[in-house]
Amino acid sequence: MTIGDHLSSLYRLPSHTFPGPDAPTDKLPEPDAVAWRISSEVYDSNEDWPDAFARFCAAVDTTRVRAVIVGAWQEAYDSDPHAVIAALLAARDRFPALRALFLGDMVMEACEISWINQTDVGPLLAAFPQLEEFGVRGGSGLGFTALEHTALRRLVVETGGLPAEVVRGIGASDLPALEHLDLWLGTPDYGGNSEVADLEPILSGARLPRLRHLALRNSEMQDAVAAAVAAAPVVDRLEVLDLSMGVLTDEGAVALLGGQPLTHLKKLDLHHHYLSKPVEERVRETLEPAGVEVDLDRDDAEEDTEDDGTVWRYVAVGE
């Protein structure tokens, strides 16, 4: 699986791409009615993202803008978004209503997820203390300095490989309002070098008193993650547990079912998995009678077996 579609919405607002330099701007949506997507891939190749953003700021009443989606910047394969972040930081006083920001909304035609160059996103969160939703795509060079943010309710980090220092930075952050945490852990081949021990501060829930939706997915070590989640204190307060998109086998699912009860959940998402039919049935029989919605769609999870018997299994999003 690859990222084939741009974000369709952010902060419950439909996304709208700000037009190129030659397009009219007299019939734009109301500033607070959409999530504004600004992306170099739809503009003239000579227009840098900061220049497009400057046009946006001149054409739209930014004091009413509630959500911004940063799409492609020039040469994302080779360049991190430092100029993008600098432009956003310089304009922060012009966005008093901004509540949602996503950095790196690119599909594979622009830049495949594991080749998107990123940088430390901590300064963005520090500069916008009223943000309620923040998301980022791409793990190469990604940083997340431990911080305190009292307004953030939703944090999404999409990668083919999430660096361990990012996991640790998130785990060490004080996020008292966070309700939704979604981490794509990925594989070592693409920089996903975290271990289960790095997740302990998240799984303890000590700094996440309001967490209700936890997704630890797209992981090559999904069995070990499932085993750790089985005994994690944070699970008791969750409504949604998402261990999808990874290499989850019978070992991990059995460990999960053998831990604390999950019957309080509203949903358990395990789609894209490598479970046997008997274990699939065991999951359903354990949870569905209690009213838990269970997603066991195998999706595109397929195994490759070599002549020597070696079996290869893959996460949903790697490249």
Side-chain angles (χ1 to χ4, degrees):
M1 174 182 170
T2 54
I3 304 294
D5 297 304
H6 293 295
L7 293 181
S8 60
S9 65
L10 182 68
Y11 201 62
R12 301 177 298 280
L13 298 171
S15 65
H16 180 85
T17 300
F18 183 68
D22 298 325
T25 58
D26 56 339
K27 295 184 179 180
L28 295 174
E30 291 297 313
D32 54 0
V34 298
W36 293 93
R37 182 172 182 269
I38 304 166
S39 179
S40 291
E41 67 187 301
V42 300
Y43 308 135
D44 183 273
S45 60
N46 294 320
E47 185 177 42
D48 291 334
W49 193 96
D51 294 330
F53 182 64
R55 284 194 303 106
F56 169 76
C57 290
V60 175
D61 180 1
T62 58
T63 65
R64 294 172 56 197
V65 170
R66 295 192 288 164
V68 170
I69 298 170
V70 176
W73 49 89
Q74 285 192 322
E75 300 178 347
Y77 278 98
D78 299 314
S79 302
D80 69 40
H82 67 275
V84 173
I85 293 175
L88 289 166
L89 296 182
R92 57 186 166 187
D93 292 339
R94 300 182 63 178
F95 288 83
L98 190 68
R99 295 295 180 269
L101 179 62
F102 190 95
L103 180 66
D105 179 32
M106 302 179 216
V107 297
M108 62 178 297
E109 289 79 11
C111 189
E112 292 181 275
I113 187 170
S114 292
W115 299 98
I116 298 172
N117 280 280
Q118 286 289 359
T119 187
D120 189 350
V121 297
L124 280 174
L125 287 164
F128 294 97
Q130 299 305 312
L131 275 186
E132 296 177 16
E133 297 187 12
F134 180 77
V136 58
R137 181 176 297 163
S140 181
L142 182 65
F144 194 105
T145 305
L147 51 81
E148 180 180 5
H149 199 292
T150 59
L152 196 67
R153 295 169 51 203
R154 181 184 177 96
L155 175 60
V156 177
V157 185
E158 301 176 351
T159 76
L162 187 58
E165 56 266 29
V166 175
V167 177
R168 296 181 195 127
I170 293 171
S173 295
D174 288 312
L175 304 170
L178 198 71
E179 299 172 358
H180 182 123
L181 177 61
D182 185 354
L183 303 181
W184 296 17
L185 300 173
T187 76
D189 290 342
Y190 296 109
N193 60 347
S194 64
E195 300 177 355
V196 169
D198 298 315
L199 298 170
E200 193 280 330
I202 294 170
L203 296 178
S204 75
R207 293 188 174 92
L208 304 170
R210 297 188 62 183
L211 195 68
R212 297 295 178 268
H213 182 129
L214 176 61
L216 300 170
R217 51 182 176 152
N218 198 50
S219 176
E220 195 169 277
M221 59 173 182
Q222 205 73 63
D223 283 346
V225 172
V229 166
V234 74
V235 172
D236 187 54
R237 72 186 66 149
L238 297 180
E239 296 178 353
V240 177
L241 175 60
D242 185 343
L243 301 177
S244 66
M245 297 171 55
V247 185
L248 182 69
T249 71
D250 287 356
E251 178 183 349
V254 169
L256 185 64
L257 292 178
Q260 61 193 298
L262 302 174
T263 50
H264 66 286
L265 294 175
K266 291 183 178 179
K267 182 174 181 178
L268 175 65
D269 191 344
L270 302 179
H271 83 268
H272 183 98
H273 62 81
Y274 295 89
L275 306 186
S276 65
K277 290 297 181 181
V279 172
E280 280 190 48
E281 287 304 309
R282 181 176 169 186
V283 173
R284 293 190 188 280
E285 292 170 358
T286 301
L287 298 177
E288 289 184 340
V292 181
E293 178 187 351
V294 179
D295 188 344
L296 282 166
D297 189 342
R298 288 190 69 90
D299 219 18
D300 60 350
E302 296 182 359
E303 301 176 344
D304 290 333
T305 304
E306 296 187 358
D307 293 340
D308 63 1
T310 301
V311 178
W312 296 97
R313 302 184 177 99
Y314 309 95
V315 299
V317 178
E319 187 75 27

Short mmCIF file of all heavy atoms in Angstrom, two decimals, residues 243-290:
data_model
loop_
_atom_site.label_atom_id
_atom_site.label_comp_id
_atom_site.label_asym_id
_atom_site.label_seq_id
_atom_site.Cartn_x
_atom_site.Cartn_y
_atom_site.Cartn_z
N LEU A 243 -4.33 -1.47 16.12
CA LEU A 243 -3.05 -2.14 15.90
C LEU A 243 -2.99 -2.64 14.45
O LEU A 243 -2.42 -3.69 14.16
CB LEU A 243 -2.89 -3.32 16.87
CG LEU A 243 -2.94 -2.97 18.36
CD1 LEU A 243 -2.83 -4.25 19.20
CD2 LEU A 243 -1.84 -2.00 18.74
N SER A 244 -3.53 -1.86 13.56
CA SER A 244 -3.68 -2.26 12.16
C SER A 244 -2.42 -1.99 11.35
O SER A 244 -1.45 -1.40 11.82
CB SER A 244 -4.85 -1.51 11.53
OG SER A 244 -4.58 -0.11 11.46
N MET A 245 -2.45 -2.44 10.09
CA MET A 245 -1.48 -2.10 9.05
C MET A 245 -0.09 -2.71 9.26
O MET A 245 0.83 -2.41 8.50
CB MET A 245 -1.34 -0.57 8.91
CG MET A 245 -2.59 0.13 8.47
SD MET A 245 -2.49 1.95 8.55
CE MET A 245 -1.04 2.27 7.55
N GLY A 246 0.07 -3.55 10.26
CA GLY A 246 1.39 -4.09 10.55
C GLY A 246 1.48 -5.58 10.33
O GLY A 246 0.62 -6.22 9.73
N VAL A 247 2.56 -6.17 10.88
CA VAL A 247 2.80 -7.60 10.75
C VAL A 247 2.30 -8.28 12.02
O VAL A 247 3.07 -8.76 12.86
CB VAL A 247 4.29 -7.87 10.51
CG1 VAL A 247 4.52 -9.36 10.27
CG2 VAL A 247 4.80 -7.07 9.31
N LEU A 248 0.97 -8.28 12.19
CA LEU A 248 0.35 -8.93 13.34
C LEU A 248 0.03 -10.37 12.99
O LEU A 248 -0.71 -10.64 12.04
CB LEU A 248 -0.93 -8.21 13.75
CG LEU A 248 -1.63 -8.77 14.99
CD1 LEU A 248 -0.80 -8.50 16.25
CD2 LEU A 248 -3.03 -8.17 15.14
N THR A 249 0.57 -11.32 13.77
CA THR A 249 0.33 -12.74 13.54
C THR A 249 -0.45 -13.31 14.73
O THR A 249 -0.81 -12.60 15.67
CB THR A 249 1.65 -13.50 13.37
OG1 THR A 249 2.34 -13.56 14.65
CG2 THR A 249 2.55 -12.81 12.35
N ASP A 250 -0.69 -14.61 14.67
CA ASP A 250 -1.41 -15.27 15.76
C ASP A 250 -0.76 -15.03 17.11
O ASP A 250 -1.44 -14.85 18.13
CB ASP A 250 -1.48 -16.78 15.50
CG ASP A 250 -2.44 -17.15 14.39
OD1 ASP A 250 -3.11 -16.23 13.86
OD2 ASP A 250 -2.50 -18.34 14.03
N GLU A 251 0.57 -14.98 17.13
CA GLU A 251 1.29 -14.78 18.40
C GLU A 251 0.85 -13.49 19.08
O GLU A 251 0.56 -13.47 20.28
CB GLU A 251 2.79 -14.76 18.14
CG GLU A 251 3.63 -14.53 19.39
CD GLU A 251 5.11 -14.43 19.10
OE1 GLU A 251 5.52 -14.76 17.97
OE2 GLU A 251 5.87 -14.01 20.00
N GLY A 252 0.80 -12.41 18.33
CA GLY A 252 0.42 -11.13 18.90
C GLY A 252 -1.04 -11.07 19.29
O GLY A 252 -1.40 -10.53 20.35
N ALA A 253 -1.91 -11.62 18.45
CA ALA A 253 -3.34 -11.58 18.74
C ALA A 253 -3.68 -12.42 19.97
O ALA A 253 -4.49 -12.01 20.81
CB ALA A 253 -4.13 -12.08 17.53
N VAL A 254 -3.05 -13.58 20.10
CA VAL A 254 -3.29 -14.43 21.28
C VAL A 254 -2.80 -13.73 22.55
O VAL A 254 -3.45 -13.77 23.59
CB VAL A 254 -2.62 -15.80 21.09
CG1 VAL A 254 -2.63 -16.59 22.39
CG2 VAL A 254 -3.33 -16.59 19.99
N ALA A 255 -1.64 -13.07 22.46
CA ALA A 255 -1.13 -12.33 23.61
C ALA A 255 -2.08 -11.21 24.00
O ALA A 255 -2.34 -10.96 25.18
CB ALA A 255 0.25 -11.77 23.30
N LEU A 256 -2.64 -10.54 23.00
CA LEU A 256 -3.57 -9.45 23.26
C LEU A 256 -4.83 -9.97 23.96
O LEU A 256 -5.29 -9.37 24.95
CB LEU A 256 -3.94 -8.77 21.94
CG LEU A 256 -4.81 -7.52 22.03
CD1 LEU A 256 -4.09 -6.40 22.76
CD2 LEU A 256 -5.21 -7.07 20.62
N LEU A 257 -5.36 -11.07 23.47
CA LEU A 257 -6.57 -11.63 24.08
C LEU A 257 -6.28 -12.21 25.46
O LEU A 257 -7.19 -12.30 26.30
CB LEU A 257 -7.14 -12.73 23.18
CG LEU A 257 -7.73 -12.26 21.84
CD1 LEU A 257 -8.21 -13.46 21.04
CD2 LEU A 257 -8.86 -11.26 22.04
N GLY A 258 -5.06 -12.60 25.71
CA GLY A 258 -4.70 -13.18 27.00
C GLY A 258 -4.41 -12.15 28.08
O GLY A 258 -4.17 -12.52 29.24
N GLY A 259 -4.43 -10.88 27.72
CA GLY A 259 -4.17 -9.83 28.68
C GLY A 259 -5.45 -9.31 29.32
O GLY A 259 -6.41 -10.06 29.51
N GLN A 260 -5.47 -8.03 29.63
CA GLN A 260 -6.63 -7.45 30.28
C GLN A 260 -7.85 -7.48 29.35
O GLN A 260 -7.70 -7.53 28.13
CB GLN A 260 -6.32 -6.00 30.67
CG GLN A 260 -5.99 -5.11 29.49
CD GLN A 260 -5.39 -3.79 29.92
OE1 GLN A 260 -6.03 -3.01 30.61
NE2 GLN A 260 -4.13 -3.55 29.52
N PRO A 261 -9.04 -7.47 29.89
CA PRO A 261 -10.24 -7.48 29.06
C PRO A 261 -10.29 -6.27 28.12
O PRO A 261 -9.88 -5.17 28.49
CB PRO A 261 -11.39 -7.44 30.07
CG PRO A 261 -10.79 -7.95 31.34
CD PRO A 261 -9.36 -7.50 31.33
N LEU A 262 -10.81 -6.53 26.92
CA LEU A 262 -10.96 -5.46 25.93
C LEU A 262 -12.42 -5.21 25.61
O LEU A 262 -12.74 -4.47 24.66
CB LEU A 262 -10.21 -5.85 24.65
CG LEU A 262 -8.71 -6.13 24.78
CD1 LEU A 262 -8.14 -6.63 23.45
CD2 LEU A 262 -7.97 -4.88 25.24
N THR A 263 -13.30 -5.77 26.40
CA THR A 263 -14.73 -5.69 26.09
C THR A 263 -15.32 -4.31 26.33
O THR A 263 -16.46 -4.05 25.93
CB THR A 263 -15.51 -6.73 26.92
OG1 THR A 263 -15.12 -6.60 28.31
CG2 THR A 263 -15.19 -8.14 26.45
N HIS A 264 -14.55 -3.41 26.95
CA HIS A 264 -15.03 -2.03 27.14
C HIS A 264 -14.82 -1.18 25.90
O HIS A 264 -15.36 -0.07 25.81
CB HIS A 264 -14.30 -1.39 28.32
CG HIS A 264 -12.83 -1.20 28.06
ND1 HIS A 264 -11.93 -2.23 28.07
CD2 HIS A 264 -12.10 -0.08 27.76
CE1 HIS A 264 -10.71 -1.78 27.81
NE2 HIS A 264 -10.79 -0.47 27.62
N LEU A 265 -14.03 -1.67 24.94
CA LEU A 265 -13.73 -0.89 23.76
C LEU A 265 -14.97 -0.72 22.87
O LEU A 265 -15.85 -1.58 22.84
CB LEU A 265 -12.64 -1.57 22.92
CG LEU A 265 -11.24 -1.69 23.52
CD1 LEU A 265 -10.35 -2.51 22.60
CD2 LEU A 265 -10.63 -0.32 23.77
N LYS A 266 -14.99 0.39 22.16
CA LYS A 266 -15.99 0.55 21.10
C LYS A 266 -15.50 -0.09 19.81
O LYS A 266 -16.30 -0.62 19.04
CB LYS A 266 -16.28 2.04 20.87
CG LYS A 266 -17.00 2.72 22.02
CD LYS A 266 -17.31 4.17 21.68
CE LYS A 266 -18.08 4.85 22.80
NZ LYS A 266 -18.36 6.29 22.49
N LYS A 267 -14.17 -0.03 19.59
CA LYS A 267 -13.63 -0.60 18.35
C LYS A 267 -12.22 -1.12 18.57
O LYS A 267 -11.41 -0.50 19.24
CB LYS A 267 -13.62 0.45 17.23
CG LYS A 267 -13.11 -0.09 15.90
CD LYS A 267 -13.25 0.94 14.78
CE LYS A 267 -12.77 0.37 13.45
NZ LYS A 267 -12.93 1.33 12.32
N LEU A 268 -11.93 -2.28 17.97
CA LEU A 268 -10.59 -2.84 17.87
C LEU A 268 -10.28 -2.97 16.38
O LEU A 268 -10.95 -3.72 15.67
CB LEU A 268 -10.49 -4.20 18.56
CG LEU A 268 -9.15 -4.92 18.40
CD1 LEU A 268 -8.03 -4.15 19.09
CD2 LEU A 268 -9.23 -6.34 18.96
N ASP A 269 -9.28 -2.25 15.93
CA ASP A 269 -8.93 -2.24 14.51
C ASP A 269 -7.66 -3.04 14.30
O ASP A 269 -6.59 -2.65 14.76
CB ASP A 269 -8.75 -0.80 14.02
CG ASP A 269 -8.65 -0.70 12.50
OD1 ASP A 269 -8.41 -1.73 11.85
OD2 ASP A 269 -8.79 0.42 11.98
N LEU A 270 -7.79 -4.16 13.59
CA LEU A 270 -6.63 -5.01 13.29
C LEU A 270 -6.48 -5.20 11.78
O LEU A 270 -5.83 -6.15 11.34
CB LEU A 270 -6.78 -6.38 13.96
CG LEU A 270 -6.94 -6.41 15.48
CD1 LEU A 270 -7.09 -7.85 15.96
CD2 LEU A 270 -5.76 -5.74 16.18
N HIS A 271 -7.06 -4.34 10.96
CA HIS A 271 -7.03 -4.59 9.52
C HIS A 271 -5.60 -4.61 9.00
O HIS A 271 -4.71 -3.99 9.56
CB HIS A 271 -7.90 -3.57 8.77
CG HIS A 271 -7.24 -2.26 8.49
ND1 HIS A 271 -7.34 -1.18 9.34
CD2 HIS A 271 -6.46 -1.85 7.45
CE1 HIS A 271 -6.66 -0.16 8.83
NE2 HIS A 271 -6.12 -0.53 7.70
N HIS A 272 -5.40 -5.30 7.91
CA HIS A 272 -4.09 -5.65 7.36
C HIS A 272 -3.33 -6.47 8.41
O HIS A 272 -2.46 -5.97 9.13
CB HIS A 272 -3.29 -4.41 6.98
CG HIS A 272 -1.95 -4.76 6.34
ND1 HIS A 272 -1.76 -4.77 4.98
CD2 HIS A 272 -0.76 -5.12 6.87
CE1 HIS A 272 -0.50 -5.11 4.71
NE2 HIS A 272 0.12 -5.34 5.86
N HIS A 273 -3.65 -7.75 8.48
CA HIS A 273 -3.07 -8.64 9.49
C HIS A 273 -2.67 -9.96 8.84
O HIS A 273 -2.95 -10.21 7.66
CB HIS A 273 -4.08 -8.89 10.61
CG HIS A 273 -5.33 -9.58 10.13
ND1 HIS A 273 -5.40 -10.93 9.92
CD2 HIS A 273 -6.54 -9.07 9.79
CE1 HIS A 273 -6.60 -11.26 9.48
NE2 HIS A 273 -7.32 -10.14 9.38
N TYR A 274 -2.03 -10.81 9.65
CA TYR A 274 -1.59 -12.12 9.18
C TYR A 274 -2.08 -13.21 10.13
O TYR A 274 -1.35 -14.13 10.50
CB TYR A 274 -0.06 -12.15 9.06
CG TYR A 274 0.46 -11.20 8.00
CD1 TYR A 274 0.77 -9.88 8.33
CD2 TYR A 274 0.62 -11.61 6.69
CE1 TYR A 274 1.23 -9.00 7.36
CE2 TYR A 274 1.08 -10.74 5.71
CZ TYR A 274 1.38 -9.43 6.06
OH TYR A 274 1.83 -8.56 5.09
N LEU A 275 -3.34 -13.10 10.55
CA LEU A 275 -3.92 -14.07 11.48
C LEU A 275 -4.49 -15.27 10.74
O LEU A 275 -5.01 -15.14 9.62
CB LEU A 275 -5.04 -13.41 12.30
CG LEU A 275 -4.71 -12.12 13.06
CD1 LEU A 275 -5.89 -11.70 13.91
CD2 LEU A 275 -3.45 -12.28 13.90
N SER A 276 -4.44 -16.40 11.40
CA SER A 276 -5.10 -17.58 10.86
C SER A 276 -6.61 -17.45 11.07
O SER A 276 -7.07 -16.68 11.92
CB SER A 276 -4.59 -18.84 11.56
OG SER A 276 -4.96 -18.83 12.94
N LYS A 277 -7.37 -18.20 10.33
CA LYS A 277 -8.83 -18.15 10.47
C LYS A 277 -9.29 -18.52 11.88
O LYS A 277 -10.19 -17.87 12.43
CB LYS A 277 -9.50 -19.06 9.43
CG LYS A 277 -9.38 -18.56 8.01
CD LYS A 277 -10.09 -17.21 7.84
CE LYS A 277 -10.01 -16.72 6.41
NZ LYS A 277 -10.67 -15.39 6.23
N PRO A 278 -8.72 -19.56 12.52
CA PRO A 278 -9.15 -19.87 13.89
C PRO A 278 -8.93 -18.71 14.87
O PRO A 278 -9.76 -18.46 15.74
CB PRO A 278 -8.30 -21.10 14.27
CG PRO A 278 -8.00 -21.75 12.96
CD PRO A 278 -7.81 -20.62 11.99
N VAL A 279 -7.81 -18.01 14.73
CA VAL A 279 -7.55 -16.89 15.64
C VAL A 279 -8.45 -15.71 15.30
O VAL A 279 -8.93 -15.00 16.20
CB VAL A 279 -6.05 -16.50 15.62
CG1 VAL A 279 -5.81 -15.22 16.41
CG2 VAL A 279 -5.21 -17.63 16.19
N GLU A 280 -8.71 -15.49 14.03
CA GLU A 280 -9.70 -14.47 13.65
C GLU A 280 -11.03 -14.73 14.36
O GLU A 280 -11.64 -13.82 14.93
CB GLU A 280 -9.93 -14.46 12.14
CG GLU A 280 -8.88 -13.74 11.34
CD GLU A 280 -9.33 -13.58 9.89
OE1 GLU A 280 -10.48 -13.14 9.67
OE2 GLU A 280 -8.53 -13.88 8.99
N GLU A 281 -11.47 -15.98 14.29
CA GLU A 281 -12.75 -16.33 14.92
C GLU A 281 -12.69 -16.15 16.43
O GLU A 281 -13.67 -15.71 17.04
CB GLU A 281 -13.13 -17.77 14.56
CG GLU A 281 -13.58 -17.94 13.13
CD GLU A 281 -14.73 -17.02 12.79
OE1 GLU A 281 -15.73 -17.00 13.55
OE2 GLU A 281 -14.64 -16.29 11.78
N ARG A 282 -11.56 -16.47 17.01
CA ARG A 282 -11.43 -16.30 18.46
C ARG A 282 -11.55 -14.83 18.85
O ARG A 282 -12.18 -14.49 19.85
CB ARG A 282 -10.09 -16.87 18.93
CG ARG A 282 -9.89 -16.75 20.43
CD ARG A 282 -8.59 -17.41 20.86
NE ARG A 282 -8.28 -17.07 22.25
CZ ARG A 282 -7.14 -17.39 22.86
NH1 ARG A 282 -6.22 -18.09 22.21
NH2 ARG A 282 -6.93 -17.03 24.11
N VAL A 283 -10.95 -13.96 18.06
CA VAL A 283 -11.06 -12.52 18.33
C VAL A 283 -12.51 -12.08 18.24
O VAL A 283 -13.03 -11.37 19.13
CB VAL A 283 -10.18 -11.71 17.34
CG1 VAL A 283 -10.44 -10.21 17.51
CG2 VAL A 283 -8.71 -12.02 17.54
N ARG A 284 -13.18 -12.50 17.19
CA ARG A 284 -14.58 -12.11 17.02
C ARG A 284 -15.45 -12.65 18.17
O ARG A 284 -16.27 -11.93 18.74
CB ARG A 284 -15.11 -12.63 15.69
CG ARG A 284 -14.48 -12.00 14.47
CD ARG A 284 -15.23 -12.39 13.21
NE ARG A 284 -14.55 -11.96 12.01
CZ ARG A 284 -14.60 -10.73 11.52
NH1 ARG A 284 -15.31 -9.80 12.15
NH2 ARG A 284 -13.94 -10.42 10.41
N GLU A 285 -15.28 -13.92 18.49
CA GLU A 285 -16.12 -14.55 19.51
C GLU A 285 -15.88 -13.95 20.90
O GLU A 285 -16.78 -13.95 21.75
CB GLU A 285 -15.86 -16.06 19.54
CG GLU A 285 -16.35 -16.78 18.29
CD GLU A 285 -15.87 -18.21 18.22
OE1 GLU A 285 -15.12 -18.64 19.15
OE2 GLU A 285 -16.22 -18.92 17.25
N THR A 286 -14.68 -13.43 21.11
CA THR A 286 -14.37 -12.82 22.41
C THR A 286 -14.97 -11.43 22.55
O THR A 286 -15.45 -11.05 23.63
CB THR A 286 -12.84 -12.75 22.62
OG1 THR A 286 -12.29 -14.06 22.56
CG2 THR A 286 -12.50 -12.12 23.96
N LEU A 287 -14.96 -10.66 21.46
CA LEU A 287 -15.27 -9.24 21.57
C LEU A 287 -16.61 -8.83 20.96
O LEU A 287 -17.29 -7.94 21.51
CB LEU A 287 -14.15 -8.43 20.91
CG LEU A 287 -12.77 -8.59 21.57
CD1 LEU A 287 -11.72 -7.81 20.80
CD2 LEU A 287 -12.80 -8.15 23.02
N GLU A 288 -17.00 -9.41 19.87
CA GLU A 288 -18.22 -8.94 19.21
C GLU A 288 -19.49 -9.14 20.05
O GLU A 288 -20.37 -8.26 20.04
CB GLU A 288 -18.36 -9.58 17.83
CG GLU A 288 -17.35 -9.04 16.84
CD GLU A 288 -17.52 -9.58 15.43
OE1 GLU A 288 -18.15 -10.64 15.27
OE2 GLU A 288 -17.01 -8.95 14.49
N PRO A 289 -19.62 -10.24 20.80
CA PRO A 289 -20.82 -10.36 21.66
C PRO A 289 -20.93 -9.25 22.71
O PRO A 289 -22.03 -8.95 23.18
CB PRO A 289 -20.64 -11.74 22.32
CG PRO A 289 -19.79 -12.50 21.37
CD PRO A 289 -18.84 -11.49 20.80
N ALA A 290 -19.80 -8.64 23.05
CA ALA A 290 -19.81 -7.54 24.02
C ALA A 290 -20.09 -6.20 23.35
O ALA A 290 -20.11 -5.16 24.03
CB ALA A 290 -18.48 -7.48 24.76
#
